[in-house]
Amino acid sequence: MRAKSPSFIAEFPLRTTPSDERAMRVRLDAARNIYNAALGEALRRLDLMRQSRASQAARAMPKGKDRTDAFRAMARQFGFSRIDLNKFTKTCRNGCWIKDHLGSQECQAITYRAFGAVEQFSFRKRGRPRFRGKAFFNSVENQCNTQGLRFKDEAVTWVDLNIPIMRDPRDTDSYQDEALTRRVKYSRIVRRTLGKRERWYVQLVLEGLAPKRRLVGSGAVGLDIGPSTIAVVSDADAALLDFCPSVEHPWGELRKVERAMDRSRRATNPDAFNIDGTWKRGARATVRSRRYQQLAMKRRERERRLSSERKRSHGELVNRILGQGVDVHLEKLSYRSFQGAFGRSTKVRAPGAFVATLARKVEAAGGGLIEIKTHKTALSQFDHTTGEFIKKPLNQRTHYFRDGVTAPVQRDLYSAFLARNCGPECLDIRQALSAWPTAEPLLRRAMSRANQSASGQGFGLPHALRHVGADRLSQVDGRSDEAGDAVAQARASESLIKGTTKTTHLFGEVEPDPYAPNS
């Protein structure tokens, strides 16, 4: 088992020659064969295990230690484990041409990868894994850096190959130099198809935490994630941002491409369809014309570009949030339900992937991600001025207070404010009441910003070491915007100077606010 020390990944493009690429294609195909063999054998053993009488008896048992022990004994009986499956793939590797292209460590890593997919399927956390076709297996890794595929002296060494890496000339803050001084745990070769050309990269899994390139705050941050917007509230600023505004999905173009693919598939596989145009039961469309392959490549390229831009946009937004603080509070949502209610928006913005990236970076920065149980707090319905829960329709984007004094605020911003004052299961009402006088002008300034240009709108703290944008005031109500900004800045600075706000700890103890500066 690998050591559980902190790790991060540094990726570098490889300076390959045509002969290097040809050799690596052969080795990736060898890895694909090992993966398919391991996957098929693991699925076969899982099916036999599920068909046995012992499995039926174990499933009928109540959940507990006895049931778990019964399943473990059954897995040992049928050889459903990583070690047993590795013995099978080792025999497959040594009995054919693959032994000349893959080492034992690479073969073991591929086996564990296939078994992990089947294990997730057995726990019903993922669907049934599929076999990989030719040219659809694009990565292979080692388990150590001492033999086989390894990285040494800024070059990848793999059997008879020695491929140097290419550094980014735009790296002016010595990130690459610092990353390459860390110990390399293991390496991974990745092939990507950009347009019509293959590009080769090496991913180095390095020991330790990634070198810091951006400013990191020290306060608590509340988030409210919606299908197309995200509200962020910290102790110094608030913002209502568009979620992944640079990701524009070409729905019309992709629809034309998919319709052309369907026409080509029907023309080259007429036996797979009925007279009315429906699929024949059990039929397979095996013929793929050259035009179909070109259309499929065009579709993959569009999806790759969308995925790349979505990942970049997620990283930028996460860095801006970490510039405000590393203790992030947000509601625990079901992103599968998002897919049903907001299908297109979820496909474009991928909120689940964003939260996964946020959790990883928050942990690396030394903070924590607190997911609030929605059914216990109901932040979108709560009114802290009266302590009442008021249901709202989904199309009502403004929260109206019932005290008769406080002016309405934007619903998502208010939910983010309440989330910042929450623990995993409960809302600290006293903390929300004491924080509201300082947070209210920040929320109103965020509301005035929402209709302005996207460039530069964000937070008081810069999200990167270099480049801080500046927004322009709206032309409609410039004086009210200026007044709101001035009041917000004055109250925020006043609260930072005092720094004596009392809060209730998650465990009920009253103590000074740990997120206030100089506390």
Coordinates of all heavy atoms in Angstrom, one line a residue, residues 384-446:
H384 N -33.8 35.6 10.3 CA -33.1 35.7 11.6 C -33.7 36.8 12.5 O -33.4 36.9 13.7 CB -31.6 35.9 11.4 CG -31.2 37.3 11.0 ND1 -31.3 37.8 9.7 CD2 -30.8 38.3 11.8 CE1 -30.9 39.0 9.7 NE2 -30.6 39.4 10.9
T385 N -34.4 37.8 11.8 CA -34.9 38.9 12.6 C -36.1 38.5 13.5 O -36.4 39.1 14.5 CB -35.4 40.0 11.7 OG1 -36.4 39.5 10.8 CG2 -34.2 40.5 10.9
T386 N -36.9 37.4 13.0 CA -38.0 36.9 13.8 C -37.9 35.5 14.2 O -38.7 35.0 15.1 CB -39.3 37.1 12.9 OG1 -39.1 36.3 11.7 CG2 -39.6 38.5 12.5
G387 N -36.9 34.8 13.7 CA -36.7 33.4 14.0 C -37.8 32.5 13.4 O -37.9 31.3 13.9
E388 N -38.4 32.9 12.3 CA -39.5 32.1 11.7 C -39.0 31.5 10.4 O -38.0 32.0 9.8 CB -40.7 33.0 11.4 CG -41.3 33.6 12.6 CD -42.5 34.6 12.2 OE1 -42.6 34.8 11.0 OE2 -43.2 35.0 13.1
F389 N -39.6 30.4 10.0 CA -39.4 29.7 8.7 C -40.5 30.1 7.7 O -41.7 29.8 8.0 CB -39.2 28.2 8.9 CG -38.0 27.8 9.6 CD1 -38.0 27.7 11.0 CD2 -36.8 27.6 8.9 CE1 -36.8 27.3 11.6 CE2 -35.7 27.2 9.5 CZ -35.7 27.1 10.9
I390 N -40.2 30.7 6.6 CA -41.2 31.1 5.7 C -40.8 30.5 4.3 O -39.8 30.8 3.7 CB -41.2 32.7 5.5 CG1 -41.4 33.3 6.9 CG2 -42.3 33.1 4.6 CD1 -41.1 34.8 6.9
K391 N -41.7 29.7 3.8 CA -41.5 29.0 2.5 C -41.6 30.0 1.4 O -42.5 30.9 1.4 CB -42.4 27.8 2.3 CG -42.1 26.7 3.2 CD -43.0 25.5 2.9 CE -42.6 24.3 3.7 NZ -43.4 23.1 3.3
K392 N -40.8 29.9 0.4 CA -40.8 30.8 -0.8 C -40.9 29.9 -2.0 O -40.3 28.8 -2.1 CB -39.6 31.7 -0.9 CG -39.2 32.4 0.4 CD -38.0 33.3 0.1 CE -37.4 33.9 1.4 NZ -36.8 32.9 2.2
P393 N -41.5 30.4 -3.1 CA -41.5 29.7 -4.4 C -40.1 29.8 -5.0 O -39.3 30.8 -4.6 CB -42.5 30.3 -5.2 CG -42.7 31.7 -4.6 CD -42.5 31.5 -3.1
L394 N -39.7 29.0 -5.9 CA -38.4 29.0 -6.4 C -38.1 30.2 -7.3 O -37.0 30.7 -7.3 CB -38.2 27.7 -7.3 CG -36.7 27.5 -7.8 CD1 -35.8 27.3 -6.7 CD2 -36.7 26.3 -8.8
N395 N -39.1 30.8 -7.8 CA -39.0 32.0 -8.7 C -38.9 33.3 -7.9 O -38.6 34.4 -8.4 CB -40.1 32.1 -9.7 CG -41.5 32.2 -9.0 OD1 -41.6 32.2 -7.8 ND2 -42.5 32.3 -9.9
Q396 N -39.0 33.2 -6.6 CA -38.9 34.4 -5.7 C -37.5 34.5 -5.3 O -37.0 33.8 -4.4 CB -39.8 34.3 -4.5 CG -39.8 35.6 -3.6 CD -40.7 35.5 -2.4 OE1 -41.7 34.7 -2.4 NE2 -40.3 36.1 -1.3
R397 N -36.7 35.5 -5.9 CA -35.3 35.6 -5.6 C -35.0 36.7 -4.6 O -33.8 37.1 -4.5 CB -34.6 35.9 -6.9 CG -34.9 35.0 -8.1 CD -34.8 33.6 -7.7 NE -33.6 33.2 -7.1 CZ -33.4 32.0 -6.5 NH1 -34.4 31.2 -6.3 NH2 -32.2 31.7 -6.0
T398 N -36.0 37.2 -3.9 CA -35.8 38.3 -2.9 C -36.3 37.8 -1.6 O -37.4 37.2 -1.5 CB -36.5 39.6 -3.3 OG1 -36.0 40.0 -4.6 CG2 -36.2 40.7 -2.3
H399 N -35.5 38.0 -0.5 CA -36.0 37.7 0.8 C -36.5 38.9 1.5 O -35.9 39.9 1.6 CB -34.8 37.1 1.6 CG -35.2 36.8 3.0 ND1 -35.8 35.6 3.4 CD2 -35.1 37.5 4.2 CE1 -36.0 35.5 4.7 NE2 -35.6 36.7 5.2
Y400 N -37.8 38.8 1.9 CA -38.5 39.9 2.6 C -38.5 39.6 4.1 O -39.0 38.6 4.5 CB -39.9 40.1 2.1 CG -39.9 40.5 0.6 CD1 -40.1 39.6 -0.4 CD2 -39.8 41.9 0.3 CE1 -40.1 39.9 -1.7 CE2 -39.8 42.2 -1.1 CZ -40.0 41.2 -2.0 OH -40.0 41.6 -3.4
F401 N -38.0 40.5 4.9 CA -37.9 40.3 6.4 C -39.3 40.6 7.0 O -40.0 41.5 6.6 CB -36.8 41.2 7.0 CG -35.5 40.8 6.6 CD1 -34.8 41.4 5.5 CD2 -34.7 39.8 7.2 CE1 -33.6 41.1 5.1 CE2 -33.5 39.4 6.8 CZ -32.9 40.1 5.7
R402 N -39.6 39.9 8.0 CA -40.9 40.0 8.7 C -40.9 41.0 9.9 O -41.9 41.2 10.5 CB -41.4 38.7 9.2 CG -41.8 37.7 8.1 CD -43.0 38.3 7.2 NE -43.4 37.3 6.2 CZ -44.4 36.5 6.4 NH1 -45.0 36.4 7.5 NH2 -44.7 35.7 5.4
D403 N -39.7 41.6 10.2 CA -39.7 42.6 11.3 C -40.3 43.9 10.9 O -40.5 44.8 11.8 CB -38.3 42.7 11.8 CG -37.3 43.3 10.7 OD1 -37.7 43.3 9.5 OD2 -36.2 43.6 11.1
G404 N -40.5 44.2 9.6 CA -41.1 45.4 9.2 C -40.1 46.6 9.1 O -40.5 47.7 8.8
V405 N -38.8 46.4 9.4 CA -37.8 47.4 9.4 C -36.7 47.2 8.4 O -36.3 48.1 7.6 CB -37.2 47.6 10.9 CG1 -36.1 48.6 10.9 CG2 -38.2 47.9 11.9
T406 N -36.2 46.0 8.4 CA -35.0 45.6 7.5 C -35.5 45.6 6.1 O -36.5 44.9 5.7 CB -34.4 44.3 7.9 OG1 -34.2 44.3 9.3 CG2 -33.1 44.1 7.2
A407 N -34.7 46.2 5.2 CA -35.0 46.2 3.7 C -34.8 44.8 3.1 O -33.9 44.1 3.6 CB -34.2 47.3 3.0
P408 N -35.5 44.4 2.1 CA -35.2 43.1 1.5 C -33.8 43.0 0.9 O -33.2 44.0 0.6 CB -36.3 43.1 0.3 CG -37.3 44.1 0.7 CD -36.5 45.2 1.4
V409 N -33.4 41.7 0.8 CA -32.1 41.4 0.3 C -32.2 40.3 -0.7 O -33.2 39.6 -0.7 CB -31.0 41.0 1.3 CG1 -30.7 42.2 2.3 CG2 -31.5 39.8 2.1
Q410 N -31.2 40.1 -1.5 CA -31.2 39.0 -2.5 C -31.2 37.7 -1.8 O -30.4 37.5 -0.8 CB -30.0 39.1 -3.5 CG -30.2 38.6 -4.8 CD -30.0 37.1 -4.9 OE1 -29.3 36.5 -4.0 NE2 -30.5 36.4 -5.9
R411 N -32.0 36.7 -2.2 CA -32.2 35.5 -1.5 C -30.9 34.7 -1.4 O -30.6 34.1 -0.3 CB -33.3 34.7 -2.3 CG -33.5 33.3 -1.7 CD -34.7 32.7 -2.5 NE -34.9 31.3 -2.1 CZ -35.9 30.6 -2.5 NH1 -36.8 31.1 -3.4 NH2 -36.1 29.3 -2.1
D412 N -30.1 34.5 -2.5 CA -28.9 33.7 -2.4 C -27.9 34.3 -1.5 O -27.2 33.6 -0.8 CB -28.4 33.5 -3.8 CG -29.4 32.8 -4.8 OD1 -30.2 32.0 -4.2 OD2 -29.3 33.0 -6.0
L413 N -27.7 35.6 -1.6 CA -26.7 36.3 -0.7 C -27.1 36.1 0.7 O -26.2 35.9 1.6 CB -26.7 37.8 -1.1 CG -25.9 38.1 -2.4 CD1 -26.2 39.6 -2.7 CD2 -24.4 37.8 -2.2
Y414 N -28.4 36.2 1.0 CA -28.8 36.0 2.4 C -28.6 34.6 2.9 O -28.2 34.3 4.0 CB -30.3 36.4 2.6 CG -30.8 36.3 4.0 CD1 -30.3 37.2 5.0 CD2 -31.8 35.4 4.4 CE1 -30.8 37.1 6.3 CE2 -32.2 35.3 5.7 CZ -31.7 36.2 6.6 OH -32.2 36.1 7.9
S415 N -28.8 33.6 2.0 CA -28.6 32.2 2.4 C -27.1 32.0 2.6 O -26.7 31.2 3.5 CB -29.1 31.3 1.3 OG -30.5 31.3 1.2
A416 N -26.2 32.6 1.8 CA -24.8 32.5 2.0 C -24.4 33.1 3.3 O -23.5 32.6 4.0 CB -24.0 33.1 0.9
F417 N -25.0 34.2 3.7 CA -24.7 34.9 5.0 C -25.1 33.9 6.2 O -24.3 33.8 7.1 CB -25.5 36.2 5.1 CG -25.6 36.7 6.5 CD1 -24.5 37.3 7.2 CD2 -26.8 36.6 7.2 CE1 -24.6 37.7 8.5 CE2 -26.9 37.0 8.5 CZ -25.9 37.6 9.2
L418 N -26.2 33.3 6.1 CA -26.6 32.4 7.1 C -25.7 31.2 7.2 O -25.4 30.7 8.3 CB -28.1 32.0 6.9 CG -29.2 33.1 7.1 CD1 -30.5 32.5 6.8 CD2 -29.1 33.7 8.5
A419 N -25.3 30.7 6.0 CA -24.4 29.5 6.0 C -23.1 29.8 6.7 O -22.5 28.9 7.3 CB -24.2 29.1 4.5
R420 N -22.6 31.1 6.6 CA -21.4 31.4 7.2 C -21.5 31.3 8.7 O -20.5 31.1 9.4 CB -21.0 32.8 6.8 CG -19.6 33.3 7.4 CD -19.3 34.7 6.9 NE -18.0 35.1 7.5 CZ -18.0 35.7 8.7 NH1 -19.1 36.0 9.3 NH2 -16.8 36.1 9.2
N421 N -22.7 31.4 9.3 CA -22.9 31.4 10.7 C -23.5 30.0 11.1 O -24.1 29.9 12.2 CB -23.8 32.5 11.1 CG -23.3 33.9 10.8 OD1 -22.4 34.4 11.5 ND2 -23.8 34.5 9.7
C422 N -23.2 29.0 10.3 CA -23.8 27.7 10.6 C -22.7 26.7 11.0 O -21.6 26.8 10.5 CB -24.6 27.1 9.4 SG -26.3 27.6 9.3
G423 N -23.1 25.7 11.8 CA -22.3 24.5 11.9 C -22.8 23.4 11.0 O -23.7 23.6 10.2
P424 N -22.4 22.1 11.2 CA -22.9 21.1 10.3 C -24.4 20.8 10.4 O -25.0 20.4 9.5 CB -22.1 19.8 10.8 CG -20.9 20.4 11.5 CD -21.3 21.7 12.1
E425 N -25.0 21.1 11.6 CA -26.4 20.7 11.8 C -27.3 21.9 12.3 O -28.5 21.7 12.3 CB -26.5 19.5 12.8 CG -25.8 18.3 12.3 CD -26.1 17.1 13.2 OE1 -26.7 17.3 14.3 OE2 -25.6 16.0 12.9
C426 N -26.7 23.0 12.7 CA -27.5 24.0 13.3 C -27.0 25.4 13.0 O -25.8 25.5 12.7 CB -27.6 23.9 14.9 SG -26.0 24.0 15.7
L427 N -27.9 26.4 13.0 CA -27.6 27.8 12.8 C -27.4 28.5 14.1 O -28.2 28.4 15.0 CB -28.7 28.4 12.0 CG -28.6 30.0 11.9 CD1 -27.4 30.4 11.0 CD2 -29.9 30.5 11.2
D428 N -26.3 29.2 14.3 CA -26.0 30.0 15.5 C -26.7 31.3 15.3 O -26.2 32.2 14.7 CB -24.5 30.2 15.6 CG -24.1 30.8 17.0 OD1 -25.0 31.4 17.6 OD2 -23.0 30.6 17.4
I429 N -27.9 31.4 15.9 CA -28.7 32.6 15.7 C -28.0 33.9 16.4 O -28.1 35.0 15.8 CB -30.1 32.4 16.3 CG1 -30.8 31.2 15.6 CG2 -31.0 33.6 16.1 CD1 -32.1 30.9 16.1
R430 N -27.4 33.7 17.5 CA -26.8 34.8 18.2 C -25.6 35.3 17.4 O -25.4 36.6 17.3 CB -26.3 34.4 19.6 CG -27.3 34.2 20.6 CD -26.7 34.1 22.0 NE -25.9 32.9 22.1 CZ -25.1 32.7 23.2 NH1 -25.0 33.6 24.1 NH2 -24.3 31.6 23.2
Q431 N -24.9 34.4 16.7 CA -23.8 34.9 15.9 C -24.3 35.6 14.6 O -23.8 36.6 14.2 CB -22.9 33.7 15.4 CG -21.7 34.1 14.6 CD -20.9 32.9 14.2 OE1 -21.0 31.8 14.9 NE2 -20.0 33.0 13.2
A432 N -25.5 35.1 14.1 CA -26.0 35.8 12.9 C -26.5 37.2 13.3 O -26.4 38.2 12.5 CB -27.2 34.9 12.4
L433 N -27.2 37.3 14.5 CA -27.7 38.6 14.9 C -26.5 39.6 15.1 O -26.6 40.8 14.7 CB -28.5 38.5 16.2 CG -29.9 37.8 16.0 CD1 -30.4 37.5 17.4 CD2 -30.8 38.7 15.2
S434 N -25.4 39.2 15.7 CA -24.3 40.1 15.9 C -23.6 40.4 14.7 O -23.0 41.5 14.5 CB -23.4 39.5 16.9 OG -22.8 38.2 16.4
A435 N -23.5 39.5 13.7 CA -22.8 39.7 12.4 C -23.6 40.5 11.4 O -23.1 41.1 10.4 CB -22.4 38.4 11.8
W436 N -24.9 40.6 11.6 CA -25.8 41.2 10.5 C -25.5 42.7 10.3 O -25.5 43.2 9.2 CB -27.3 41.0 10.9 CG -28.2 41.7 9.9 CD1 -29.0 42.8 10.2 CD2 -28.4 41.4 8.6 NE1 -29.7 43.1 9.0 CE2 -29.3 42.3 8.0 CE3 -27.9 40.4 7.7 CZ2 -29.8 42.2 6.7 CZ3 -28.3 40.3 6.4 CH2 -29.2 41.2 5.9
P437 N -25.3 43.5 11.4 CA -25.0 45.0 11.1 C -23.8 45.2 10.2 O -23.8 46.1 9.4 CB -24.8 45.5 12.5 CG -25.6 44.6 13.4 CD -25.4 43.3 12.8
T438 N -22.8 44.3 10.3 CA -21.6 44.5 9.5 C -21.8 43.9 8.1 O -21.3 44.4 7.1 CB -20.4 43.8 10.1 OG1 -20.2 44.4 11.4 CG2 -19.1 43.9 9.3
A439 N -22.6 42.8 8.0 CA -22.8 42.1 6.7 C -23.8 42.7 5.9 O -23.7 42.6 4.6 CB -23.2 40.6 7.0
E440 N -24.8 43.4 6.4 CA -25.9 44.0 5.6 C -25.4 45.0 4.6 O -25.8 44.8 3.4 CB -26.9 44.7 6.5 CG -28.1 45.3 5.8 CD -29.1 46.0 6.7 OE1 -28.8 46.1 7.9 OE2 -30.1 46.4 6.2
P441 N -24.5 45.9 4.9 CA -24.0 46.8 3.8 C -23.2 46.1 2.7 O -23.2 46.4 1.6 CB -23.1 47.9 4.5 CG -22.8 47.2 5.8 CD -23.9 46.4 6.2
L442 N -22.5 45.0 3.1 CA -21.7 44.2 2.2 C -22.7 43.5 1.2 O -22.5 43.4 0.0 CB -20.9 43.2 2.9 CG -19.8 43.7 3.8 CD1 -19.0 42.6 4.5 CD2 -18.9 44.7 3.1
L443 N -23.8 43.0 1.7 CA -24.8 42.3 0.9 C -25.4 43.3 -0.1 O -25.7 43.0 -1.3 CB -25.8 41.6 1.7 CG -25.6 40.1 2.1 CD1 -24.3 40.0 2.9 CD2 -26.8 39.6 2.9
R444 N -25.7 44.5 0.4 CA -26.4 45.5 -0.5 C -25.4 46.0 -1.5 O -25.8 46.3 -2.7 CB -26.9 46.6 0.4 CG -27.9 46.2 1.4 CD -28.8 47.2 1.9 NE -29.7 46.7 2.9 CZ -30.7 45.9 2.7 NH1 -31.0 45.6 1.5 NH2 -31.5 45.5 3.7
R445 N -24.1 46.1 -1.2 CA -23.1 46.4 -2.2 C -23.0 45.3 -3.3 O -22.9 45.6 -4.5 CB -21.8 46.7 -1.6 CG -20.7 47.1 -2.6 CD -19.4 47.6 -2.0 NE -18.8 46.5 -1.2 CZ -17.6 46.6 -0.7 NH1 -16.9 47.8 -0.8 NH2 -17.1 45.6 0.0
A446 N -23.1 44.1 -2.8 CA -23.1 43.0 -3.8 C -24.3 43.0 -4.7 O -24.2 42.7 -5.9 CB -23.0 41.6 -3.1

